[in-house]
Amino acid sequence: MRKLIVANWKMYLTLSQSVALVKKISKLETLNPKIALVLCPSFVALEEVAKVVKKTKIKLGAQDVEPERRGAYTGEVGLDDLGEIGVQYVLVGHSERRRMGERDDLVNKKVKAVLKDGMRPILCVGEPLTVRRKGMEEVRGYVGMQVRRGLLGVLKKDLKRVVVAYEPIWAISGNGGHEDTPENATKIHGLIKRIVKSVPVLYGGSVNSNNAASFLSAKGIDGLLIGRASTAAKEFEKIVAGI
Ligand code: PGA
């Protein structure tokens, strides 16, 4: 099965920088048939990035979404907007959104709204350092709960469009950036796969060209969610070349 590589550009790049980057990396997927590539630019950059990837196999993802339909939701971006641009994946419940107060019930609402519109949610889960310090049993409880609550009420037939991304918060660059090990990640991936069978589970958290291959070769890791290292063309090319 092809490895799913999702680039989360967060708020690292401006519109013009996003366009410059996508032009540099738009041939990457054809260079490596072992991967499927999804780019998640900022909302502002989505449309221009979409124009560049249109003739490639690269898919487009959004970093978040408003689950309500149209209406009085100042500052939000809805599924209709994403659909018109050709977005197929949506990151949901990223820890940098949860940090701003997004709770499991809203995450769950977003997951269901994304599925209803025929797109694929990438449900992000992961524990803070305070939980990891208590040991792996605590981590299992914490992450297991996030997965169950995030997917509450999702129909079995829709589950095959769900992707889960396990990202220990303390391992994300900018949030601590301590690297986790593939051995630890594998344990949590195993847990997630026991809760939701046959769902691809990605790993994220300071993935770079030095550690990407070892995470990807660990059992149960079906792909990567890459932030900072995906925003520099050369580093990202190195990651893809090493897969
Ligand atoms: P990072 O971010 O690769 O910069 O650690 C990953 C993520 O938060 O999705």
Side-chain angles (χ1 to χ4, degrees):
M1 209 172 74
R2 289 198 298 167
K3 299 287 189 185
L4 183 60
I5 308 298
V6 182
N8 177 10
W9 292 351
K10 306 192 180 186
M11 204 182 73
Y12 281 123
L13 305 171
T14 64
L15 169 59
S16 58
Q17 288 168 338
S18 303
V19 173
L21 176 61
V22 69
K23 283 183 178 160
K24 285 188 193 149
I25 63 170
S26 63
K27 302 224 163 53
L28 274 185
E29 207 183 51
T30 10
L31 292 181
N32 188 343
K34 285 186 277 183
I35 64 159
L37 201 55
V38 179
L39 302 181
C40 303
S42 70
F43 283 136
V44 172
L46 269 174
E47 200 173 347
E48 290 303 314
V49 171
K51 288 179 192 160
V52 181
V53 299
K54 210 171 168 184
K55 292 192 185 88
T56 73
K57 286 188 192 145
I58 297 175
K59 306 267 189 302
L60 212 54
Q63 296 179 15
D64 189 25
V65 73
E66 163 57 51
E68 297 297 341
R69 292 295 351 158
R70 309 220 65 75
Y73 300 97
T74 303
E76 297 294 337
V77 176
L79 282 153
D80 294 338
D81 306 279
L82 302 184
E84 278 189 14
I85 297 173
V87 166
Q88 295 185 38
Y89 289 80
V90 182
L91 296 178
V92 177
H94 190 281
S95 59
E96 288 152 17
R97 309 288 325 160
R98 293 182 191 256
R99 185 172 70 196
M100 288 185 270
E102 192 163 311
R103 299 193 181 285
D104 285 323
D105 52 347
L106 179 55
V107 171
N108 178 245
K109 199 169 173 188
K110 290 183 178 185
V111 165
K112 288 189 202 155
V114 170
L115 285 167
K116 195 164 171 225
D117 268 42
M119 297 178 210
R120 300 190 66 177
I122 302 175
L123 170 65
C124 302
V125 295
E127 81 287 356
L129 193 55
T130 45
V131 172
R132 173 60 73 109
R133 284 206 172 115
K134 290 182 190 155
M136 289 308 277
E137 234 4 81
E138 288 282 331
V139 176
R140 282 193 182 89
Y142 189 94
V143 173
M145 189 72 88
Q146 281 184 322
V147 173
R148 285 191 188 91
R149 287 183 177 160
L151 298 178
L152 199 71
V154 170
L155 300 176
K156 214 170 172 187
K157 68 170 177 55
D158 289 334
L159 267 182
K160 56 178 181 295
R161 277 187 292 122
V162 170
V163 178
V164 175
Y166 170 57
E167 300 195 298
I169 298 172
W170 48 273
I172 295 175
S173 39
N175 297 339
H178 313 281
E179 276 185 34
D180 201 359
T181 61
E183 294 71 36
N184 275 331
T186 278
K187 290 179 193 159
I188 304 303
H189 279 242
L191 163 88
I192 296 170
K193 281 169 180 275
R194 282 196 294 281
I195 299 172
V196 273
K197 291 174 192 66
S198 67
V199 161
V201 186
L202 316 181
Y203 177 76
S206 295
V207 172
N208 56 45
S209 57
N210 294 323
N211 61 22
S214 58
F215 276 111
L216 272 184
S217 57
K219 192 164 179 265
I221 299 188
D222 303 309
L224 301 168
L225 177 52
I226 310 174
R228 182 139 47 190
S230 72
T231 61
K234 286 227 155 63
E235 173 67 358
F236 196 53
E237 275 166 20
K238 250 172 124 179
I239 295 175
V240 170
I243 297 171

